[in-house]
Amino acid sequence: MSSPQSLLIRGARILLPNGEFLLGDVLIRDRHIIEVGTEIVNTTPATEIDAKGLTLLPGVIDPQVHFREPGLEHKEDLFTASCACAKGGVTSFLEMPNTRPLTTSQQALDDKLQRAASKCLVNYGFFIGATGENTPELLAANPTPGIKIFMGSMHGQLLVDQDAVLESIFAQGQRLIAVHAEDQARINQRRQEFAGIQDPAIHSQIQDNQAALLATQLALKLSKKYQRRLHILHMSTADEAELLRQDKPIWVTAEVTPQHLVLNTGDYERIGTLAQMNPPLRSPHDNEVLWQALRDGVIDFIATDHAPHTLEEKAQPYPNSPSGMPGVETSLAVMLTAAMEGKCTIAQVANWMSKAVAVAYGIPNKGAIAPGYDADLVLVDLNTYRPVLREELLTKCRWSPFEGWNLTGWADTTIVGGQIVYHKGKLNTEARGQALSFV
């Protein structure tokens, strides 16, 4: 009954699709889950994992990352980023188009897919970026989870901040549109108002709650006008959450990052420009409203917006310091630690970080531990707390905004398509993920 590709996970605390836990076994063969039960017998697997004391969850699907390749590999590349994913329990990612060259054509998309096939330990997908002048490419590109529009916090071709151009993109085609929702005109105005201030905390005032709300209101208006599938990336404000609570069509989804849930403007004093990102960190009040919106289903899932920069780049004085922070290595542990603190349940974390993402983007056979599903899984240790240490990070930038935080739920073993890609501190760098499909 065994095959060279078979794997048996023995004695795990398994999260079932109904949100309940089963103490038992999972049999994997040929990239898929074959059987889930209290005790699987009459099989001799090629590999067996003793999972006693560990919890088995669906692998994390991180739907918003910036892995910097091609063109910015000094910050990160597809290999280093996928190693960080494997260590963090992330088995699939969706990557953004602001690389060099920009991912705005089928040719650029194909180049990324080819690079990932040769380098990535985990599964991958790539957004195509809107410029306002590449509508034929937006309609035809494949495979891609959707169109990314930067409404603000961007420069160059990817900044699409004119209402008429935005409307033309929403009006054509049916592909999902994911928006970075910040109003560039308001940002420009406030940059002039606060010019000369080098305290990075001013970043949250320049790109304030109103800048986010104005852009989200516009995106929602256009989505409703054309009944166009809309996803709001890294929602950061209480104002936006309350807007969606009152007015959220069934074809609209939204995400939040762990940092917008657990970090706030007080962290500028602690870590300076390492806390600088777009959209910025907000107030403790925003944290709490976002948490409640997530628990209530107003916000649908979690993404990291992993956007690394080197420590040398981050050391520049504001506003020359770049915005962005890494997150794929710590996101699952941050959220599971919050669950252990009573902020949510483990089942909710798994839904927000896997199943709900698969549903929203039409990624088949992901996000559940059940026969027939892909064997993208993570075994986590919820009994041990360990600090985030800079010297242990695998991301090329080698820093984290959570450095020193004592977290639980770290990945013990990460499995991608039935292959063990990370196990007890060691990577399997020969493993390769697959291109995701979107239906």
Side-chain angles (χ1 to χ4, degrees):
M1 293 184 63
S2 66
S3 76
Q5 295 80 30
S6 62
L7 172 66
L8 181 64
I9 301 169
R10 181 80 77 184
R13 181 179 176 234
I14 305 163
L15 179 65
L16 300 176
N18 64 4
E20 297 179 358
F21 287 93
L22 171 73
L23 188 62
D25 304 345
V26 175
L27 178 63
I28 296 163
R29 188 179 296 124
D30 297 327
R31 305 190 65 89
H32 299 105
I33 298 169
I34 301 300
E35 185 178 352
V36 179
T38 53
E39 186 178 9
I40 296 174
V41 296
N42 299 323
T43 185
T44 307
T47 306
E48 184 170 317
I49 297 174
D50 179 2
K52 183 179 179 181
L54 301 175
T55 298
L56 185 66
L57 304 175
V60 172
I61 305 171
D62 191 334
Q64 193 200 170
V65 300
H66 302 264
F67 283 171
R68 306 305 192 195
E69 184 178 348
L72 298 164
E73 288 92 339
H74 69 283
K75 303 173 190 280
E76 190 79 278
D77 60 59
L78 288 167
F79 176 72
T80 59
S82 68
C83 289
C85 284
K87 181 171 179 277
V90 176
T91 55
S92 300
F93 65 80
L94 304 180
E95 206 260 355
M96 289 297 162
N98 53 325
T99 44
R100 296 179 183 172
L102 305 173
T103 317
T104 56
S105 68
Q106 185 68 53
Q107 181 181 1
L109 178 61
D110 288 343
D111 176 65
K112 276 191 175 178
L113 289 164
Q114 290 165 10
R115 290 168 180 266
S118 68
K119 294 184 177 186
C120 284
L121 280 61
V122 302
N123 304 316
Y124 46 87
F126 299 97
F127 277 85
I128 187 164
T131 66
E133 299 177 350
N134 66 334
T135 300
E137 296 280 5
L138 299 182
L139 297 174
N142 189 60
T144 182
I147 298 164
K148 169 69 177 286
I149 300 180
F150 288 89
M151 300 174 71
S153 298
M154 179 51 67
H155 56 270
Q157 287 181 290
L158 284 182
L159 177 61
V160 182
D161 61 345
Q162 301 298 314
D163 289 9
V165 178
L166 283 166
E167 179 150 5
S168 72
I169 298 170
F170 273 85
Q172 299 181 64
Q174 297 181 336
R175 177 163 282 163
L176 177 148
I177 293 173
V179 295
H180 179 126
E182 290 189 276
D183 184 87
Q184 189 63 39
R186 182 170 177 86
I187 292 172
N188 291 342
Q189 172 196 335
R190 293 180 67 81
R191 278 178 181 162
Q192 293 180 351
E193 291 177 22
F194 296 102
I197 299 176
Q198 292 191 322
D199 181 353
I202 203 69
H203 189 63
S204 293
Q205 294 187 51
I206 293 172
Q207 295 175 212
D208 65 352
N209 285 39
Q210 186 67 11
L213 179 62
L214 287 169
T216 296
Q217 286 173 327
L218 176 56
L220 188 61
K221 175 185 173 182
L222 292 171
S223 173
K224 289 165 65 178
K225 180 175 180 178
Y226 295 102
Q227 296 197 19
R228 184 66 180 266
R229 176 74 175 87
L230 171 68
H231 178 66
I232 301 164
L233 299 160
H234 44 43
M235 182 171 283
S236 64
T237 70
D239 311 72
E240 294 166 284
E242 290 306 317
L243 171 66
L244 283 200
R245 188 179 290 277
Q246 300 300 321
D247 184 12
K248 186 188 178 190
I250 59 172
W251 60 84
V252 173
T253 52
E255 71 187 31
V256 65
T257 70
Q259 53 268 34
H260 284 118
L261 294 171
V262 302
L263 300 178
N264 54 57
T265 49
D267 288 287
Y268 287 111
E269 186 173 353
R270 181 176 64 89
I271 57 174
T273 56
L274 298 186
Q276 180 187 332
M277 65 172 297
N278 297 330
L281 299 179
R282 307 298 185 185
S283 71
H285 170 70
D286 290 292
N287 292 151
E288 291 308 312
V289 174
L290 291 169
W291 264 115
Q292 193 60 53
L294 183 61
R295 288 188 290 257
D296 292 343
V298 175
I299 297 173
D300 299 272
F301 50 81
I302 300 285
T304 64
D305 192 21
H306 177 96
H309 301 281
T310 67
L311 284 166
E312 291 76 15
E313 290 167 334
K314 278 290 195 176
Q316 297 176 87
Y318 185 84
N320 296 323
S321 49
S323 295
M325 57 181 67
V328 293
E329 269 172 278
T330 52
S331 60
L332 182 58
V334 166
M335 292 304 298
L336 289 174
T337 300
M340 299 302 285
E341 294 170 350
K343 286 277 193 180
C344 56
T345 68
I346 295 168
Q348 284 176 315
V349 171
N351 179 59
W352 296 331
M353 301 189 77
S354 192
K355 183 63 176 179
V357 180
V359 170
Y361 283 104
I363 306 171
N365 302 318
K366 305 286 188 192
I369 304 174
Y373 276 76
D374 293 342
D376 295 343
L377 304 165
V378 58
L379 278 166
V380 299
D381 182 356
L382 290 167
N383 302 309
T384 305
Y385 282 75
R386 288 193 292 106
V388 179
L389 300 175
R390 182 172 293 186
E391 58 268 25
E392 294 181 357
L393 295 171
L394 298 183
T395 175
K396 189 181 283 190
C397 73
R398 299 301 293 268
W399 64 271
S400 167
F402 302 108
E403 189 173 352
W405 286 41
N406 205 34
L407 304 177
T408 191
W410 293 103
D412 172 273
T413 305
T414 304
I415 298 165
V416 178
Q419 305 174 88
I420 298 172
V421 299
Y422 178 82
H423 181 63
K424 298 190 181 302
K426 294 184 178 181
L427 290 166
N428 173 11
T429 57
E430 300 301 312
R432 291 294 177 266
Q434 293 187 335
L436 296 169
S437 58
F438 310 96
V439 297

